[in-house]
Amino acid sequence: MRFYYSTIFLFPLFAALLCGCEKRVTRVEDGDRRQILHWGNGAEPEDLDPHTSKGEIEHNIQLALFEGLVAEEPRTASPTNGVAERWVVSEDKKLWTFYLRKNARWSNGDPVTARDFIDSWQRNLTPSLASQYAYMLHVVKNAKAFNEGTLTNFSEVGFKLIDDHTLQIQLESPTPYFLSLILHTSWYPVHLPTLRKHGRVDDRRNRWTRPENFVGNGAFNLKEWRMGSHILVEKSPTYWDAANVKLNKIYFYANESMDSEEKMFRGGQIHLFKECPQAKIDFYRKNKPHLINIAPILSTYFYRINVTRPPMNDKRVRRAMAMAIDRTAIVEKVTRGGQMPAYNLTPPDTAGYNCEAKLVEDIEAARKLLAEAGYPNGENFPKVEILFNTLESHRAIAEALQEMWRKNLNINVTLRNEEWKVYLSSMQQLDYFISRAGWGGDYDDPNTFMDMFVTGGGNNETGWSSKKYDNLIAQAGMIADPVKRFALFQEAEKHLMEEMPIIPIYFYTRPRLIRPSVKGFYPNLLDHHPYKYIYLVPEDSTR
Amino acid sequence: MGRFILRRLLEMIPVLLVVSAVTFFMMRLAPGGPFDSERAMAPEVRKNLDAYYGFDKPLLTQYWNFLKNLAKGDLGPSSKYSNRSVNEIIGGAFPVSLELGIWSLLVALVIGVTAGLIASVKPNSALDYGSMSLSMIGICIPTFVMGPILLVLFALKTDWFNASGWFFPRDRILPSLTLGAYYAAYIARMTRGGMLEVLNQDFIRTARAKGAPLMSVLFKHAFRGGILPVISFLGPATAGLLTGSFVVETIFNVPGLGKYFVTAAFNRDYSMVMGTVLFYAVLIILFNLLVDVIQVWLNPKLRFE
């Protein structure tokens, strides 16, 4: 009996012993030798169709599987030659001619033609596909009308086929960031004959993105897709630049939990993943600085203010609250991930744009403004609430602000957290006073931040409206001259900071954990990392 | 017995109808919808998406359509994973949950029953107290504590197992232990209780008096009666092992169904919520039926009625 008794408690040990205790070669070590990258990719991708999926998770995989007219340069992710070998833009910056390389191939061997691109864009703009990012194509003449169903003749849309390897795009207005814009997945070509083989091209349940059916034109080809587990892509022999592709395979692991990803990283299962859990950032910075890479990205953390609700309808109140925050304390004591305090909306150096009209933190001035608004020393200040979606890090920031406003302005705000979808719906219905928000740029240009707050904009969600601001943004959309254009943005952002329908808090960084064996990987604002430049060099030191 | 099973199966239909109706309408009462995201959607796109998934029709019509498709065995498309049907997602993820469930059940039964038997042989001895204290600890430590502890000890400190994933046979061990341990603790206590009750009865005393060896008394005479409480516990426990694995699946990144069961609600993926809820409802009902049949078979005092 005693014998049986002891085995029970040794069961896990025995099981482990059966599996062998020798030091195993980790997946990362094995990958380093065989050029197999193990990429921690966050949640399960919603789909791999570049026209119906929308997030960063999907983008990371699509970047391996497709190539647009232009592609990312590895260091700055700025546009360089993709399928297009060269391009010419007209004097008025409205007519673009792209010359496609003749050796570009789909993974089934078919040549990638100008017709493929135009058919793909037609598909993406087809109303019945209901592509959420089709608006990225709206800069093209008549594309919006076609997408909204008011125009049915696609030949009136500004795409023109010249020959098999040449196409022209006519824009509505000069768009200086056009090349940056067409890096987006919504501009990727898809192989329509394959789509047709597997159903209707405007059906989101078309099974063409399954590994057995898939045809793409990227540096890698889809091999396996195990839902909830991983996606495997392999170097494509038909890719025009295959000779320069160094990686043989990439595994994209689906894992919703950052903590679990961190354990995978420590256990040598993945080379890198996007975001080190906040609680561990300090540890890595102090003890393993060679494994953590903190770099700014094109995203801003801010608070929206519902300007339709008193007392927030008074811009003096909004400004007072925005000025009475110690942002440096927030990024140094609360978030601790190397974030930069934000005194305006657009992240620094967005396509070379740096906002000049920065908000100044000044508690004395804030108190004065509050007194002018009728609340001297915070007296009789009505009940105001901060809304945030349920997450520890948002709560910590909200609590810090609550304390700063109490201390500096003597006003009391309460906190309200809501589950993600409820929070989104509250924000849309303007059912809040102050609400946590974040915005990541879709392309490298101030416009992706600034056009958020035009009157009636889908992402405005503050109730704020200003003729002056609308005009400035509209004007900026008409001008090709980059200097004049940025001057208009400067003026618009200055106006935004005077009116304060939002309170900027900080600019995001990406605290990525990454093995030193990963080479050819450069941090950049868009956080896009073209895989064809990445390679692996085994680490000398042991883990 | 055939009539008994048939009747129970027919009783399932109204139960499932009620479950589906309650789930359907409660889910629709929750604020937010499947297409709400941080980026606003153009109204035209929204309209087309609603039309594609049939969300533009009145709620009652939608429910009726759901029932009609359900009768055909079609649970509809997932609005989150736009390329997949709910049938396909469940079909892919459930076998994983099932495998995890079976291994955990084995862990629970082997450890639980053995510990319970040992404890019941010499009640109130050190051995009894020892194994019962351990099982108390097993009940008290939640899986979200047990999982990371095992993970740090056996995957990160010693490198015997992978920290995450479901790729190799050895990847099954840590999740199964974590999930099984909790149930093992319950089963140990139930086995001990059930066995003690039987071991104190006259027929056991007779058997012992006739000189039957301990092992023979334990397994030939007492076990069948003593294990009954465990059997009735197994119905809900098995269903629990299959459904309650959300935490374990998250800790070890196991691509099972438990995760979708929870995230579907967060995503407002309506057809996915309906699909998983009904699927689990059917599972629970079937397991309870199975347990009832086994109980009658083990206990002659019960009859199918």
Side-chain angles (χ1 to χ4, degrees):
Chain A
M1 269 307 152
R2 201 159 284 273
F3 171 74
Y4 285 121
Y5 186 76
S6 48
T7 43
I8 300 160
F9 304 106
L10 289 174
F11 182 76
L13 289 175
F14 280 136
L17 285 168
L18 283 176
C19 299
C21 319
E22 84 285 7
K23 172 108 177 62
R24 293 185 296 144
V25 174
T26 65
R27 244 182 274 180
V28 161
E29 288 161 349
D30 173 64
D32 287 346
R33 283 175 221 156
R34 300 197 289 145
Q35 297 298 318
I36 301 172
L37 181 65
H38 296 278
W39 180 288
N41 197 39
E44 167 72 17
E46 295 180 0
D47 192 7
L48 293 181
D49 187 328
H51 298 162
T52 58
S53 54
K54 42 197 190 293
E56 188 184 348
I57 287 159
E58 292 79 19
H59 174 266
N60 285 341
I61 303 164
Q62 287 156 354
L63 190 62
L65 298 175
F66 299 93
E67 188 173 73
L69 289 177
V70 293
E72 285 91 346
E73 183 275 329
R75 284 172 198 272
T76 58
S78 54
T80 174
N81 308 54
V83 176
E85 218 163 20
R86 62 196 173 88
W87 49 85
V88 179
V89 60
S90 67
E91 196 63 35
D92 66 355
K93 301 273 195 287
K94 281 163 77 170
L95 181 69
W96 293 73
T97 311
F98 289 90
Y99 300 91
L100 276 54
R101 62 182 78 249
K102 299 204 167 66
N103 57 349
R105 292 273 181 280
W106 292 97
S107 55
N108 66 351
D110 288 358
V112 181
T113 63
R115 158 83 32 220
D116 287 328
F117 275 92
I118 294 181
D119 286 352
S120 300
W121 299 329
Q122 175 173 7
R123 181 226 182 201
N124 195 3
L125 287 168
T126 303
S128 50
L129 182 70
S131 161
Q132 202 183 328
Y133 264 96
Y135 73 82
M136 297 292 273
L137 280 71
H138 286 185
V139 293
V140 177
K141 195 177 150 215
N142 288 335
K144 187 164 189 249
F146 182 82
N147 189 215
E148 286 171 357
T150 52
L151 173 80
T152 48
N153 184 2
F154 186 72
S155 62
E156 286 176 42
V157 180
F159 298 114
K160 194 167 157 206
L161 183 75
I162 306 293
D163 62 43
D164 269 0
H165 294 98
T166 316
L167 61 87
Q168 269 182 345
I169 303 177
Q170 177 77 50
L171 303 184
E172 289 279 0
S173 54
T175 310
Y177 55 94
F178 183 62
L179 286 180
S180 218
L181 191 70
I182 64 174
L183 283 174
H184 194 267
T185 55
S186 53
W187 285 86
Y188 280 166
V190 296
H191 192 249
L192 281 139
T194 301
L195 268 75
R196 287 193 199 101
K197 207 162 91 190
H198 298 286
R200 283 189 7 235
V201 296
D202 64 344
D203 186 357
R204 23 186 71 226
R205 287 168 80 184
N206 189 315
R207 294 173 64 93
W208 75 278
T209 49
R210 303 307 170 85
E212 64 274 19
N213 305 334
F214 185 83
V215 173
N217 72 329
F220 295 84
N221 203 10
L222 185 63
K223 277 291 156 203
E224 263 175 55
W225 182 358
R226 179 87 177 81
M227 197 179 179
S229 170
H230 68 276
I231 281 176
L232 167 64
V233 302
E234 264 178 26
K235 181 176 173 174
S236 165
T238 59
Y239 180 61
W240 63 269
D241 199 15
N244 288 318
V245 177
K246 292 152 199 121
L247 291 174
N248 290 319
K249 292 178 188 179
I250 309 171
Y251 279 91
F252 295 95
Y253 296 97
N255 192 340
E256 302 238 0
S257 151
M258 277 191 272
D259 288 307
S260 174
E261 281 191 312
E262 196 266 339
K263 292 197 179 78
M264 281 179 94
F265 180 77
R266 263 200 282 168
Q269 285 181 281
I270 52 177
H271 279 101
L272 74 166
F273 71 103
K274 180 172 95 170
E275 208 162 346
C276 176
Q278 209 174 334
K280 299 247 167 72
I281 292 179
D282 270 350
F283 170 82
Y284 277 98
R285 290 178 90 171
K286 278 193 200 112
N287 304 309
K288 301 194 168 173
H290 62 295
L291 295 181
I292 189 163
N293 180 328
I294 299 181
I297 52 168
L298 200 61
S299 293
T300 310
Y301 190 104
F302 62 96
Y303 274 13
R304 281 196 171 89
I305 299 178
N306 180 358
V307 304
T308 64
R309 265 196 197 176
M312 312 310 294
N313 57 351
D314 188 332
K315 86 172 179 194
R316 289 170 298 193
V317 173
R318 302 198 292 265
R319 283 185 61 81
M321 291 178 87
M323 287 157 83
I325 297 172
D326 183 354
R327 290 167 179 77
T328 313
I330 287 178
V331 298
E332 280 175 6
K333 305 245 164 64
V334 184
T335 60
R336 292 190 315 226
Q339 291 87 350
M340 287 167 291
Y343 304 100
N344 66 295
L345 173 66
T346 314
D349 213 24
T350 304
Y353 169 87
N354 286 294
C355 175
E356 285 153 13
K358 289 191 193 314
L359 176 82
V360 181
E361 284 173 2
D362 184 342
I363 294 164
E364 276 316 306
R367 283 187 187 138
K368 236 169 96 188
L369 275 174
L370 200 64
E372 279 170 30
Y375 310 104
N377 192 27
E379 279 160 34
N380 302 322
F381 194 77
K383 180 181 166 274
V384 166
E385 200 175 48
I386 300 177
L387 169 70
F388 59 96
N389 56 304
T390 312
L391 200 74
E392 259 332 291
S393 51
H394 297 328
R395 174 177 292 281
I397 291 169
E399 280 170 353
L401 291 185
Q402 184 184 35
E403 177 58 21
M404 286 172 190
W405 284 332
R406 196 193 57 74
K407 210 177 93 199
N408 298 338
L409 301 178
N410 194 28
I411 57 178
N412 282 313
V413 297
T414 51
L415 307 185
R416 178 175 103 200
N417 66 311
E418 288 179 346
E419 180 256 355
W420 178 242
K421 294 274 184 177
V422 182
Y423 147 88
L424 288 173
S425 135
S426 300
M427 208 147 61
Q428 275 156 24
Q429 291 162 17
L430 291 185
D431 178 19
Y432 72 92
F433 288 91
I434 302 172
S435 166
R436 173 264 143 190
W439 186 260
D442 291 323
Y443 46 87
D444 191 15
D445 190 85
N447 193 56
T448 185
F449 287 89
M450 306 291 286
D451 76 350
M452 208 177 352
F453 295 102
V454 297
T455 305
N459 294 308
N460 182 320
E461 296 180 333
T462 60
W464 183 70
S465 156
S466 156
K467 269 255 146 46
K468 183 179 170 191
Y469 188 84
D470 295 352
N471 283 337
L472 287 167
I473 299 300
Q475 273 179 47
M478 313 275 203
I479 294 181
D481 179 6
V483 180
K484 282 189 193 146
R485 195 168 159 266
F486 276 11
L488 289 168
F489 281 134
Q490 292 286 7
E491 203 177 328
E493 195 157 3
K494 185 173 168 215
H495 183 55
L496 188 74
M497 287 300 101
E498 275 161 10
E499 289 280 319
M500 223 81 239
I502 54 153
I503 302 178
I505 313 272
Y506 65 77
F507 298 118
Y508 278 90
T509 49
R510 183 133 286 174
R512 189 189 303 274
L513 292 185
I514 178 166
R515 299 291 332 171
S517 61
V518 182
K519 307 288 180 197
F521 181 103
Y522 307 94
N524 56 55
L525 270 184
L526 284 172
D527 205 27
H528 289 180
H529 307 281
Y531 303 101
K532 76 175 188 183
Y533 303 98
I534 297 179
Y535 59 101
L536 301 163
V537 176
E539 292 166 39
D540 296 327
S541 54
T542 48
R543 223 153 38 97
Chain B
M1 183 168 130
R3 271 187 59 193
F4 168 79
I5 294 177
L6 189 70
R7 212 190 65 213
R8 288 282 295 266
L9 286 177
L10 285 177
E11 278 172 10
M12 234 169 98
I13 295 169
V15 173
L16 289 181
L17 269 179
V18 172
V19 169
S20 72
V22 170
T23 314
F24 188 90
F25 292 103
M26 266 176 52
M27 170 178 85
R28 290 312 181 89
L29 281 178
F35 309 125
D36 287 331
S37 75
E38 212 158 24
R39 275 164 165 61
M41 187 181 273
E44 298 81 21
V45 175
R46 177 73 165 239
K47 225 175 75 197
N48 281 317
L49 273 180
D50 280 343
Y52 182 85
Y53 290 105
F55 297 152
D56 53 343
K57 301 197 177 66
L59 265 191
L60 272 177
T61 319
Q62 287 186 43
Y63 181 58
W64 178 240
N65 286 341
F66 171 79
L67 289 182
K68 274 197 297 193
N69 288 330
L70 183 67
K72 286 183 263 169
D74 177 9
L75 294 165
S78 156
S79 53
K80 165 85 175 167
Y81 303 105
S82 56
N83 198 252
R84 294 179 191 258
S85 67
V86 175
N87 291 47
E88 192 190 351
I89 296 175
I90 294 181
F94 180 64
V96 175
S97 288
L98 184 70
E99 197 193 331
L100 175 59
I102 289 173
W103 287 121
S104 317
L105 194 65
L106 275 178
V107 168
L109 280 176
V110 169
I111 299 182
V113 171
T114 319
L117 278 178
I118 291 166
S120 69
V121 174
K122 276 190 189 155
N124 303 326
S125 67
L127 214 55
D128 180 18
Y129 290 138
S131 58
M132 283 308 109
S133 318
L134 264 182
S135 84
M136 205 62 220
I137 292 172
I139 292 173
C140 293
I141 298 182
T143 44
F144 60 82
V145 175
M146 179 78 125
I149 289 177
L150 288 181
L151 209 156
V152 168
L153 284 181
F154 297 107
L156 297 179
K157 294 270 182 244
T158 56
D159 191 37
W160 292 346
F161 299 100
N162 289 323
S164 149
W166 192 256
F167 302 98
F168 309 106
R170 72 165 88 195
D171 291 343
R172 273 68 174 164
I173 293 172
L174 290 184
S176 310
L177 274 179
T178 311
L179 191 55
Y182 177 76
Y183 289 91
Y186 265 102
I187 290 176
R189 297 191 76 83
M190 285 183 166
T191 311
R192 177 181 179 271
M195 288 302 286
L196 278 182
E197 201 177 301
V198 178
L199 285 173
N200 283 332
Q201 283 180 17
D202 290 345
F203 74 97
I204 298 292
R205 211 165 296 140
T206 314
R208 292 299 298 271
K210 276 170 34 187
L214 176 68
M215 280 309 200
S216 149
V217 169
L218 268 184
F219 289 101
K220 261 188 168 167
H221 301 269
F223 191 70
R224 188 165 155 172
I227 205 69
L228 274 177
V230 175
I231 300 290
S232 47
F233 172 72
L234 275 187
T238 312
L241 279 170
L242 297 177
T243 55
S245 51
F246 168 68
V247 176
V248 174
E249 284 178 15
T250 307
I251 295 169
F252 296 98
N253 203 31
V254 177
L257 193 56
K259 253 196 308 206
Y260 297 108
F261 184 45
V262 177
T263 52
F266 288 131
N267 295 328
R268 305 288 190 275
D269 191 343
Y270 297 139
S271 37
M272 193 68 201
V273 173
M274 292 302 285
T276 42
V277 166
L278 286 181
F279 184 76
Y280 278 139
V282 169
L283 267 189
I284 291 172
I285 295 173
L286 287 183
F287 274 113
N288 279 326
L289 173 60
L290 186 72
V291 165
D292 286 351
V293 171
I294 294 177
Q295 269 184 324
V296 174
W297 174 61
L298 279 179
N299 188 349
K301 276 190 254 169
L302 295 174
R303 287 270 176 284
F304 294 113
E305 39 175 71

